[in-house]
Coordinates of all heavy atoms in Angstrom, one line a residue:
G125 N 104.0 98.2 129.8 CA 104.4 97.0 129.2 C 105.4 97.2 128.1 O 105.9 98.2 127.8
W126 N 105.8 96.0 127.6 CA 106.9 96.0 126.5 C 106.2 95.8 125.1 O 105.2 95.0 125.0 CB 107.8 94.7 126.7 CG 108.6 94.9 128.0 CD1 108.2 94.5 129.2 CD2 109.9 95.5 128.2 NE1 109.2 94.9 130.2 CE2 110.2 95.5 129.5 CE3 110.7 96.2 127.2 CZ2 111.4 95.9 129.9 CZ3 111.9 96.6 127.6 CH2 112.2 96.5 129.0
V127 N 106.6 96.6 124.2 CA 106.0 96.5 122.9 C 106.5 95.2 122.3 O 107.6 94.9 122.0 CB 106.4 97.7 121.9 CG1 106.0 97.6 120.6 CG2 106.0 99.1 122.6
Q128 N 105.4 94.3 121.9 CA 105.7 93.1 121.2 C 105.6 93.4 119.7 O 106.6 92.8 119.0 CB 104.6 92.1 121.7 CG 104.5 91.8 123.1 CD 105.8 91.3 123.7 OE1 106.4 90.3 123.3 NE2 106.3 92.0 124.8
E129 N 104.7 94.1 119.2 CA 104.6 94.4 117.9 C 103.6 95.5 117.7 O 102.8 95.8 118.6 CB 104.1 93.2 117.0 CG 102.7 92.8 117.3 CD 102.4 91.7 116.4 OE1 102.9 91.5 115.3 OE2 101.3 90.9 116.7
V130 N 103.6 96.2 116.5 CA 102.5 97.1 116.2 C 102.0 96.7 114.9 O 102.7 96.5 113.9 CB 103.1 98.6 116.0 CG1 102.1 99.6 115.6 CG2 103.7 99.1 117.3
R131 N 100.7 96.3 114.9 CA 100.0 95.7 113.7 C 99.7 96.9 112.8 O 99.2 97.8 113.0 CB 98.8 95.0 114.2 CG 99.1 93.8 115.1 CD 97.9 93.0 115.6 NE 96.8 93.8 115.9 CZ 95.5 93.7 115.5 NH1 95.2 92.5 114.9 NH2 94.6 94.4 115.9
A132 N 100.3 96.6 111.6 CA 100.2 97.7 110.4 C 98.7 97.8 109.9 O 98.4 98.9 109.6 CB 101.1 97.4 109.4
L133 N 98.0 96.7 109.8 CA 96.7 96.7 109.0 C 95.7 97.6 109.8 O 95.1 98.5 109.1 CB 96.2 95.4 108.8 CG 94.9 95.3 108.1 CD1 95.0 95.9 106.6 CD2 94.4 93.8 107.9
P134 N 95.5 97.6 111.1 CA 94.7 98.5 111.7 C 95.1 100.0 111.5 O 94.2 100.8 111.3 CB 94.6 98.1 113.1 CG 95.2 96.7 113.2 CD 96.1 96.6 112.0
L135 N 96.3 100.2 111.6 CA 96.8 101.6 111.4 C 96.5 102.1 110.0 O 96.0 103.2 109.7 CB 98.3 101.7 111.5 CG 98.9 101.4 112.9 CD1 100.4 101.5 112.8 CD2 98.3 102.4 113.9
A136 N 96.7 101.2 108.9 CA 96.4 101.6 107.5 C 94.9 101.8 107.4 O 94.5 102.7 106.6 CB 96.9 100.5 106.6
Q137 N 94.1 101.0 108.0 CA 92.7 101.1 107.8 C 92.2 102.4 108.4 O 91.3 103.1 107.8 CB 91.9 99.9 108.5 CG 92.2 98.6 107.7 CD 91.7 97.4 108.4 OE1 91.7 97.3 109.6 NE2 91.3 96.4 107.6
V138 N 92.6 102.8 109.5 CA 92.2 104.1 110.2 C 92.7 105.3 109.3 O 92.0 106.2 109.0 CB 92.7 104.2 111.6 CG1 92.5 105.6 112.1 CG2 92.1 103.1 112.5
L139 N 94.0 105.2 108.8 CA 94.5 106.3 108.0 C 93.8 106.4 106.7 O 93.5 107.4 106.2 CB 96.0 106.1 107.9 CG 96.8 106.3 109.1 CD1 98.3 105.9 108.8 CD2 96.8 107.7 109.6
H140 N 93.4 105.2 106.2 CA 92.6 105.2 104.8 C 91.3 106.0 105.2 O 90.8 106.8 104.4 CB 92.4 103.9 104.5 CG 91.7 103.8 103.2 ND1 90.3 103.7 103.1 CD2 92.0 103.7 101.9 CE1 89.9 103.6 101.8 NE2 90.9 103.6 101.0
G141 N 90.7 105.6 106.2 CA 89.4 106.3 106.5 C 89.5 107.8 106.7 O 88.6 108.6 106.5
L142 N 90.7 108.3 107.2 CA 90.9 109.7 107.4 C 91.3 110.4 106.1 O 91.4 111.6 106.1 CB 91.9 109.9 108.4 CG 91.6 109.4 109.9 CD1 92.8 109.5 110.8 CD2 90.5 110.3 110.4
G143 N 91.5 109.6 105.0 CA 91.7 110.2 103.7 C 93.2 110.0 103.2 O 93.5 110.6 102.1
A144 N 93.9 109.1 103.8 CA 95.3 108.8 103.3 C 95.4 107.8 102.2 O 96.5 107.5 101.7 CB 96.2 108.4 104.4
G145 N 94.3 107.2 101.9 CA 94.3 106.1 100.8 C 93.1 106.3 99.8 O 92.2 107.1 99.9
R146 N 93.2 105.5 98.7 CA 92.2 105.6 97.7 C 91.4 104.3 97.7 O 91.9 103.2 98.0 CB 92.9 105.7 96.3 CG 93.7 106.9 96.1 CD 94.3 106.9 94.7 NE 94.9 108.2 94.4 CZ 96.2 108.4 94.4 NH1 97.0 107.4 94.6 NH2 96.6 109.6 94.0
D147 N 90.1 104.4 97.3 CA 89.3 103.3 97.0 C 89.4 102.9 95.6 O 89.3 101.7 95.2 CB 87.9 103.5 97.4 CG 87.6 103.6 98.9 OD1 88.3 102.9 99.6 OD2 86.8 104.5 99.3
R148 N 89.5 103.8 94.7 CA 89.7 103.6 93.3 C 90.7 104.5 92.7 O 91.0 105.5 93.3 CB 88.3 103.9 92.6 CG 87.2 103.0 92.9 CD 85.9 103.6 92.1 NE 84.7 103.1 92.8 CZ 84.2 103.4 93.9 NH1 84.8 104.3 94.6 NH2 83.1 103.0 94.3
A149 N 91.3 104.1 91.6 CA 92.3 104.9 91.0 C 91.8 106.3 90.6 O 90.6 106.3 90.1 CB 92.8 104.2 89.6
G150 N 92.4 107.3 90.8 CA 91.9 108.6 90.6 C 91.3 109.3 91.8 O 91.0 110.5 91.7
D151 N 90.9 108.5 92.8 CA 90.3 109.3 94.0 C 91.4 110.1 94.6 O 92.6 109.8 94.5 CB 90.0 108.1 95.0 CG 88.7 107.4 94.7 OD1 88.0 107.9 93.7 OD2 88.3 106.5 95.3
P152 N 91.1 111.1 95.2 CA 92.0 112.1 95.8 C 92.6 111.4 97.1 O 91.9 110.6 97.8 CB 91.2 113.3 96.2 CG 89.8 112.9 96.3 CD 89.6 111.6 95.3
V153 N 93.8 111.8 97.5 CA 94.5 111.5 98.7 C 94.8 112.7 99.4 O 95.3 113.7 98.8 CB 95.8 110.7 98.3 CG1 96.6 110.5 99.7 CG2 95.5 109.4 97.7
N154 N 94.6 112.8 100.7 CA 94.8 113.9 101.5 C 96.2 113.9 102.0 O 96.6 113.1 102.9 CB 93.8 114.0 102.7 CG 94.0 115.3 103.5 OD1 95.0 115.9 103.3 ND2 93.0 115.6 104.3
P155 N 97.1 114.7 101.4 CA 98.6 114.6 101.9 C 98.8 115.1 103.3 O 100.0 114.9 103.8 CB 99.2 115.6 100.9 CG 98.2 116.5 100.4 CD 96.8 115.7 100.5
R156 N 97.8 115.7 104.0 CA 98.0 116.1 105.3 C 97.6 115.0 106.3 O 97.7 115.3 107.5 CB 97.1 117.3 105.5 CG 97.7 118.5 104.7 CD 96.8 119.7 104.8 NE 95.4 119.6 104.4 CZ 95.0 119.8 103.1 NH1 95.9 120.2 102.3 NH2 93.8 119.5 102.7
V157 N 97.2 113.8 105.8 CA 97.0 112.7 106.7 C 98.1 111.7 106.7 O 98.7 111.4 105.7 CB 95.7 111.9 106.2 CG1 95.4 110.7 107.1 CG2 94.5 112.8 106.2
G158 N 98.6 111.4 107.9 CA 99.7 110.4 108.1 C 99.8 110.1 109.5 O 99.1 110.5 110.3
A159 N 100.9 109.3 109.8 CA 101.1 108.8 111.2 C 102.6 108.8 111.3 O 103.4 108.4 110.4 CB 100.5 107.6 111.5
E160 N 103.1 109.0 112.6 CA 104.5 108.7 113.0 C 104.4 107.7 114.1 O 103.8 107.9 115.2 CB 105.1 110.0 113.6 CG 105.2 111.2 112.6 CD 105.7 112.4 113.3 OE1 106.8 112.4 113.7 OE2 104.9 113.4 113.3
L161 N 105.1 106.7 113.9 CA 105.1 105.5 114.9 C 106.4 105.9 115.9 O 107.5 106.1 115.3 CB 105.5 104.2 114.3 CG 105.5 102.9 115.1 CD1 104.1 102.9 115.8 CD2 105.7 101.7 114.3
L162 N 106.1 106.1 117.1 CA 107.1 106.6 118.1 C 107.8 105.5 118.9 O 108.6 105.8 119.7 CB 106.4 107.5 119.0 CG 105.7 108.7 118.3 CD1 104.9 109.6 119.4 CD2 106.7 109.6 117.5
V163 N 107.4 104.2 118.6 CA 107.9 103.1 119.4 C 108.3 102.0 118.4 O 107.9 101.9 117.3 CB 107.0 102.6 120.4 CG1 106.6 103.6 121.5 CG2 105.7 102.0 119.7
G164 N 109.0 101.0 118.9 CA 109.4 99.9 118.1 C 109.3 98.6 119.1 O 109.4 98.8 120.3
A165 N 109.4 97.4 118.4 CA 109.3 96.3 119.2 C 110.5 96.2 120.1 O 111.6 96.6 119.8 CB 109.4 95.0 118.2
G166 N 110.3 95.8 121.5 CA 111.2 95.6 122.4 C 111.4 96.9 123.4 O 112.1 96.9 124.3
Q167 N 110.6 98.0 123.0 CA 110.7 99.2 123.8 C 109.7 99.1 125.0 O 108.6 98.5 124.8 CB 110.3 100.3 122.9 CG 110.4 101.7 123.6 CD 110.3 102.9 122.6 OE1 110.5 102.7 121.4 NE2 109.9 104.0 123.1
H168 N 110.0 99.6 126.1 CA 109.1 99.6 127.2 C 108.3 100.9 127.3 O 108.9 102.0 127.0 CB 110.0 99.6 128.5 CG 109.1 99.4 129.7 ND1 108.7 100.5 130.5 CD2 108.5 98.4 130.3 CE1 107.9 100.1 131.6 NE2 107.8 98.7 131.4
L169 N 107.0 100.8 127.5 CA 106.1 101.9 127.7 C 105.5 102.0 129.0 O 105.1 101.0 129.5 CB 105.0 101.8 126.6 CG 105.4 102.2 125.2 CD1 104.1 101.9 124.3 CD2 105.8 103.5 125.0
R170 N 105.3 103.2 129.5 CA 104.6 103.5 130.8 C 103.2 104.0 130.4 O 103.0 104.5 129.2 CB 105.4 104.4 131.6 CG 106.7 104.0 132.1 CD 107.3 105.0 133.0 NE 108.4 104.6 133.7 CZ 109.6 104.3 133.4 NH1 109.9 104.5 132.1 NH2 110.5 103.8 134.2
A171 N 102.3 103.8 131.3 CA 100.9 104.3 131.1 C 101.0 105.8 130.7 O 101.6 106.6 131.4 CB 100.1 104.1 132.3
G172 N 100.3 106.2 129.7 CA 100.1 107.6 129.3 C 101.2 108.0 128.4 O 101.2 109.2 127.9
E173 N 102.3 107.2 128.1 CA 103.4 107.6 127.3 C 102.9 107.5 125.8 O 102.3 106.4 125.4 CB 104.5 106.6 127.6 CG 105.9 107.2 126.9 CD 107.1 106.3 127.4 OE1 106.8 105.4 128.3 OE2 108.1 106.6 126.9
P174 N 103.2 108.5 125.0 CA 102.8 108.4 123.5 C 103.5 107.3 122.8 O 104.7 107.1 123.0 CB 103.1 109.8 123.0 CG 104.0 110.4 123.9 CD 103.9 109.8 125.3
W175 N 102.8 106.7 121.9 CA 103.4 105.6 121.0 C 103.2 106.0 119.6 O 103.8 105.4 118.6 CB 103.0 104.2 121.5 CG 101.5 104.0 121.2 CD1 100.5 104.3 122.0 CD2 100.9 103.3 120.0 NE1 99.3 103.9 121.4 CE2 99.6 103.3 120.2 CE3 101.5 102.9 118.8 CZ2 98.7 102.8 119.2 CZ3 100.6 102.4 117.8 CH2 99.3 102.3 118.1
L176 N 102.2 106.9 119.2 CA 101.8 107.1 117.9 C 101.3 108.5 117.8 O 100.7 109.0 118.7 CB 100.6 106.2 117.5 CG 100.1 106.3 116.0 CD1 101.1 105.8 115.0 CD2 98.8 105.5 116.0
R177 N 101.7 109.2 116.7 CA 101.2 110.6 116.4 C 100.5 110.5 115.1 O 101.1 110.1 114.1 CB 102.4 111.5 116.3 CG 101.9 113.0 116.1 CD 103.2 114.0 116.1 NE 103.8 114.0 117.5 CZ 105.1 113.8 117.7 NH1 105.9 113.5 116.7 NH2 105.6 113.8 118.9
V178 N 99.2 110.9 115.0 CA 98.4 110.8 113.9 C 98.2 112.3 113.4 O 97.7 113.1 114.2 CB 97.0 110.1 114.1 CG1 96.2 110.2 112.9 CG2 97.3 108.7 114.6
H179 N 98.4 112.6 112.2 CA 98.1 113.8 111.6 C 96.8 113.6 110.8 O 96.8 112.8 109.9 CB 99.3 114.4 110.7 CG 100.6 114.3 111.4 ND1 101.0 115.4 112.1 CD2 101.6 113.4 111.6 CE1 102.2 115.2 112.7 NE2 102.5 113.9 112.3
H180 N 95.8 114.5 110.9 CA 94.6 114.5 110.2 C 93.9 115.8 110.4 O 94.1 116.5 111.2 CB 93.8 113.3 110.6 CG 93.3 113.3 112.0 ND1 92.1 113.8 112.4 CD2 93.9 112.9 113.2 CE1 91.9 113.8 113.7 NE2 93.0 113.2 114.2
E181 N 92.9 115.9 109.6 CA 91.9 117.0 109.7 C 90.6 116.4 110.1 O 90.2 115.3 109.9 CB 91.7 117.7 108.3 CG 93.0 118.2 107.8 CD 92.9 118.8 106.4 OE1 92.1 118.2 105.6 OE2 93.7 119.7 106.1
G182 N 89.9 117.1 110.9 CA 88.5 116.7 111.4 C 88.7 116.0 112.7 O 89.5 116.2 113.5
T183 N 87.9 114.9 112.9 CA 87.8 114.2 114.1 C 88.1 112.7 114.0 O 87.6 112.1 113.1 CB 86.3 114.3 114.7 OG1 86.1 115.8 114.8 CG2 86.2 113.6 116.0
L184 N 88.9 112.2 114.9 CA 89.1 110.7 115.0 C 88.1 110.2 116.0 O 88.2 110.5 117.2 CB 90.5 110.5 115.4 CG 90.9 109.1 115.6 CD1 90.8 108.2 114.2 CD2 92.4 108.9 116.1
G185 N 87.1 109.5 115.5 CA 86.0 109.0 116.4 C 86.6 107.9 117.4 O 87.7 107.4 117.3
A186 N 85.7 107.4 118.3 CA 86.0 106.5 119.3 C 86.4 105.2 118.6 O 87.3 104.5 119.1 CB 84.8 106.3 120.2
G187 N 85.8 104.8 117.5 CA 86.1 103.5 116.8 C 87.4 103.6 116.3 O 88.2 102.6 116.4
G188 N 87.9 104.8 115.7 CA 89.2 104.9 115.2 C 90.2 104.8 116.3 O 91.3 104.2 116.2
R189 N 90.0 105.5 117.4 CA 90.9 105.4 118.5 C 91.1 104.0 119.1 O 92.2 103.6 119.4 CB 90.4 106.3 119.6 CG 90.5 107.8 119.4 CD 90.1 108.7 120.5 NE 90.1 110.1 120.2 CZ 91.2 110.8 120.3 NH1 92.3 110.2 120.7 NH2 91.2 112.0 119.9
R190 N 89.9 103.2 119.2 CA 90.0 101.9 119.6 C 90.9 101.0 118.8 O 91.7 100.2 119.2 CB 88.5 101.4 119.8 CG 88.5 100.1 120.7 CD 87.1 99.6 120.9 NE 86.1 100.7 121.3 CZ 85.2 101.3 120.5 NH1 85.1 100.8 119.2 NH2 84.5 102.2 120.9
A191 N 90.6 101.2 117.5 CA 91.4 100.5 116.4 C 92.9 100.7 116.5 O 93.7 99.8 116.5 CB 90.8 100.7 115.0
L192 N 93.2 102.0 116.7 CA 94.6 102.3 117.0 C 95.2 101.7 118.2 O 96.3 101.2 118.2 CB 94.8 103.9 116.9 CG 94.5 104.5 115.6 CD1 94.7 106.0 115.7 CD2 95.5 104.1 114.5
Q193 N 94.4 101.8 119.3 CA 95.0 101.2 120.5 C 95.1 99.6 120.4 O 96.1 99.1 120.9 CB 94.0 101.5 121.7 CG 94.1 102.9 122.1 CD 95.5 103.4 122.7 OE1 96.4 102.7 122.6 NE2 95.5 104.6 123.2
D194 N 94.2 99.0 119.6 CA 94.2 97.6 119.5 C 95.4 97.2 118.6 O 95.8 96.0 118.6 CB 93.0 97.0 118.9 CG 91.8 97.1 119.8 OD1 92.1 97.3 121.0 OD2 90.6 97.0 119.4
A195 N 96.0 98.1 117.8 CA 97.1 97.8 116.9 C 98.4 97.7 117.8 O 99.4 97.0 117.4 CB 97.3 99.0 115.9
L196 N 98.4 98.3 118.9 CA 99.6 98.2 119.8 C 99.5 96.9 120.7 O 98.5 96.8 121.5 CB 99.7 99.4 120.7 CG 100.8 99.6 121.7 CD1 102.1 99.6 121.0 CD2 100.6 100.7 122.7
C197 N 100.4 96.1 120.5 CA 100.5 94.8 121.3 C 101.6 94.9 122.3 O 102.7 94.9 122.0 CB 100.7 93.7 120.4 SG 99.5 93.5 119.1
L198 N 101.1 94.9 123.6 CA 102.0 95.0 124.7 C 102.1 93.6 125.5 O 101.1 92.8 125.4 CB 101.6 96.1 125.7 CG 101.5 97.5 125.2 CD1 101.0 98.4 126.3 CD2 103.0 98.0 124.8
G199 N 103.2 93.4 126.1 CA 103.4 92.2 127.0 C 104.1 92.5 128.2 O 104.7 93.7 128.4
P200 N 104.0 91.6 129.2 CA 104.7 91.9 130.5 C 106.2 91.9 130.5 O 106.9 92.3 131.4 CB 104.1 90.7 131.4 CG 103.9 89.7 130.4 CD 103.5 90.3 129.2
E201 N 106.8 91.3 129.3 CA 108.3 91.2 129.2 C 108.7 91.6 127.9 O 107.9 91.6 127.0 CB 108.7 89.7 129.5 CG 108.4 89.3 131.0 CD 108.8 87.8 131.2 OE1 109.5 87.3 130.4 OE2 108.4 87.3 132.3
P202 N 109.9 91.9 127.7 CA 110.4 92.2 126.3 C 110.1 90.9 125.3 O 110.2 89.8 125.8 CB 111.9 92.4 126.4 CG 112.1 92.6 127.9 CD 111.0 92.0 128.6
P203 N 109.9 91.2 124.1 CA 109.8 90.1 123.2 C 111.0 89.2 123.1 O 112.2 89.8 123.2 CB 109.4 90.7 121.9 CG 110.0 92.1 121.9 CD 109.9 92.5 123.4
R204 N 111.0 87.9 123.0 CA 112.1 87.1 122.9 C 113.0 87.4 121.7 O 114.2 87.4 121.7 CB 111.8 85.6 123.0 CG 111.1 85.2 124.3 CD 110.9 83.7 124.3 NE 110.2 83.4 125.5 CZ 110.8 82.9 126.6 NH1 112.1 82.6 126.5 NH2 110.1 82.6 127.6
D205 N 112.4 87.4 120.5 CA 113.0 87.7 119.3 C 112.3 88.8 118.6 O 111.4 88.6 117.8 CB 113.0 86.4 118.4 CG 113.9 85.3 119.1 OD1 115.0 85.6 119.5 OD2 113.4 84.2 119.0
P206 N 112.7 90.1 118.7 CA 112.1 91.2 118.0 C 112.2 90.9 116.5 O 113.2 90.4 116.1 CB 112.8 92.4 118.5 CG 113.6 92.1 119.7 CD 113.8 90.6 119.6
P207 N 111.2 91.3 115.7 CA 111.3 91.0 114.3 C 112.5 91.9 113.7 O 112.8 93.0 114.2 CB 109.9 91.6 113.8 CG 109.4 92.5 114.8 CD 110.0 92.0 116.2
P208 N 113.1 91.4 112.6 CA 114.1 92.2 112.0 C 113.6 93.4 111.4 O 112.4 93.5 111.0 CB 114.7 91.3 110.9 CG 113.6 90.3 110.7 CD 112.8 90.2 112.0
L209 N 114.5 94.5 111.3 CA 114.0 95.7 110.7 C 113.7 95.6 109.3 O 112.9 96.2 108.7 CB 115.0 96.8 110.9 CG 115.3 97.3 112.3 CD1 116.4 98.3 112.5 CD2 114.0 97.8 113.0
V210 N 114.5 94.7 108.5 CA 114.3 94.5 107.2 C 114.1 92.9 107.0 O 115.0 92.1 107.4 CB 115.5 94.9 106.2 CG1 115.2 94.4 104.8 CG2 115.7 96.4 106.4
A211 N 112.9 92.5 106.6 CA 112.5 91.1 106.6 C 113.2 90.5 105.3 O 113.6 89.4 105.3 CB 111.0 90.9 106.6
E212 N 113.1 91.2 104.2 CA 113.6 90.6 102.9 C 113.8 91.8 102.0 O 113.1 92.8 102.0 CB 112.5 89.7 102.4 CG 112.8 89.1 101.1 CD 111.8 88.1 100.6 OE1 110.7 88.1 101.2 OE2 112.0 87.5 99.6
T213 N 114.8 91.7 101.1 CA 115.1 92.6 100.1 C 114.7 91.9 98.7 O 115.3 90.8 98.4 CB 116.5 93.1 100.1 OG1 116.8 93.6 101.3 CG2 116.8 94.0 99.0
I214 N 113.8 92.5 97.9 CA 113.5 92.0 96.6 C 114.0 92.9 95.6 O 113.7 94.1 95.5 CB 112.0 91.8 96.5 CG1 111.5 90.9 97.6 CG2 111.5 91.3 95.2 CD1 110.0 90.8 97.8
L215 N 114.9 92.4 94.7 CA 115.4 93.1 93.6 C 114.8 92.8 92.3 O 114.4 91.6 92.1 CB 116.9 92.8 93.5 CG 117.8 93.2 94.8 CD1 119.2 92.7 94.6 CD2 117.8 94.7 95.0
P216 N 114.8 93.8 91.4 CA 114.4 93.3 90.0 C 115.3 92.3 89.3 O 116.4 92.2 89.7 CB 114.5 94.7 89.2 CG 114.6 95.7 90.3 CD 115.2 95.1 91.5
E217 N 114.7 91.4 88.5 CA 115.5 90.5 87.9 C 116.6 91.1 87.1 O 116.5 92.1 86.6 CB 114.5 89.7 86.9 CG 113.6 88.7 87.6 CD 112.9 87.9 86.6 OE1 113.5 87.3 85.6 OE2 111.6 87.6 86.8
G218 N 117.8 90.4 87.2 CA 119.0 90.8 86.5 C 119.9 91.7 87.2 O 120.9 92.0 86.9
L219 N 119.4 92.2 88.5 CA 120.2 93.1 89.3 C 120.9 92.2 90.4 O 120.2 91.3 90.9 CB 119.5 94.1 89.9 CG 118.9 95.3 89.0 CD1 118.2 96.4 89.8 CD2 120.1 95.9 88.2
L220 N 122.1 92.5 90.7 CA 122.9 91.9 91.7 C 122.8 92.6 93.0 O 122.8 93.8 92.9 CB 124.3 91.5 91.3 CG 124.5 90.7 90.0 CD1 125.9 90.7 89.7 CD2 124.0 89.3 90.3
P221 N 122.8 92.0 94.2 CA 122.8 92.7 95.4 C 124.2 93.5 95.4 O 125.2 92.8 95.0 CB 122.7 91.8 96.5 CG 122.7 90.4 95.9 CD 122.6 90.6 94.4
G222 N 124.2 94.7 95.9 CA 125.6 95.4 96.0 C 125.2 96.8 96.0 O 124.1 97.2 96.1
P223 N 126.3 97.6 96.1 CA 126.1 99.1 96.4 C 125.4 99.7 95.2 O 124.6 100.8 95.5 CB 127.5 99.6 96.5 CG 128.4 98.6 95.9 CD 127.7 97.2 96.0
L224 N 125.5 99.3 94.0 CA 124.9 99.9 92.9 C 123.8 99.1 92.2 O 123.1 99.6 91.3 CB 125.9 100.4 91.8 CG 126.9 101.4 92.4 CD1 127.9 101.8 91.3 CD2 126.2 102.7 92.9
G225 N 123.8 97.8 92.6 CA 122.8 96.9 92.0 C 123.1 96.6 90.5 O 122.2 96.5 89.7
A226 N 124.4 96.7 90.2 CA 124.8 96.6 88.8 C 124.4 95.2 88.2 O 124.5 94.2 88.8 CB 126.3 96.8 88.7
A227 N 124.0 95.2 87.0 CA 123.7 94.0 86.1 C 125.0 93.3 85.8 O 126.1 94.1 85.6 CB 122.8 94.4 84.9
P228 N 125.0 92.1 85.6 CA 126.2 91.3 85.3 C 126.7 91.7 83.9 O 126.1 92.1 83.0 CB 125.8 89.8 85.4 CG 124.3 89.9 85.4 CD 123.8 91.2 85.7

C-alpha cells in the first residue's frame, strides 16, 4: 500500500517504554534506544518491506510490535496532499526570518 502517514505518538510511547524517555526529571535515559523511520508519506510499500528500524536492548513484546504496526497508516492509493516536511517555523521574539536570524 501507499504510506498515508506515520503516527508519531505510538512510536514515542513504545520508545519511551524501551528506555528512550523519562517519567520524571533526573530519570536515566538509555542512549542506545532509538528509531529510524525508513519511509515517508507518499511512498509505496510492498508486503515484508521494512519501514522502521528500532534500536533497543532486551525484548520488544507483541504489544509493542502491534503498536508500531498500528502507527503505520497505509492506503490503496498515494495520499492526495502529503503533509509538508516543515509545518511551521517558530522563532524567538525579536528575531527576523533570514539566514542568520538577525535582530532588527
Side-chain angles (χ1 to χ4, degrees):
W126 295 88
V127 177
Q128 304 298 309
E129 68 176 340
V130 177
R131 298 180 319 139
L133 184 58
L135 294 179
Q137 290 170 330
V138 170
L139 292 172
H140 181 269
L142 292 171
R146 296 180 171 105
D147 290 323
R148 292 176 200 69
D151 283 354
V153 173
N154 186 340
R156 293 177 296 273
V157 175
E160 295 175 66
L161 190 58
L162 305 175
V163 300
Q167 187 172 336
H168 186 264
L169 283 178
R170 290 183 167 77
E173 194 172 356
W175 66 275
L176 180 71
R177 182 176 297 127
V178 178
H179 303 273
H180 65 95
E181 299 172 329
T183 303
L184 178 62
R189 288 182 184 276
R190 193 173 319 103
L192 292 176
Q193 289 294 13
D194 289 345
L196 178 65
C197 301
L198 298 175
E201 297 180 9
R204 292 186 187 261
D205 296 314
L209 294 177
V210 177
E212 180 180 4
T213 301
I214 301 171
L215 298 173
E217 286 188 39
L219 292 182
L220 300 174
L224 300 177

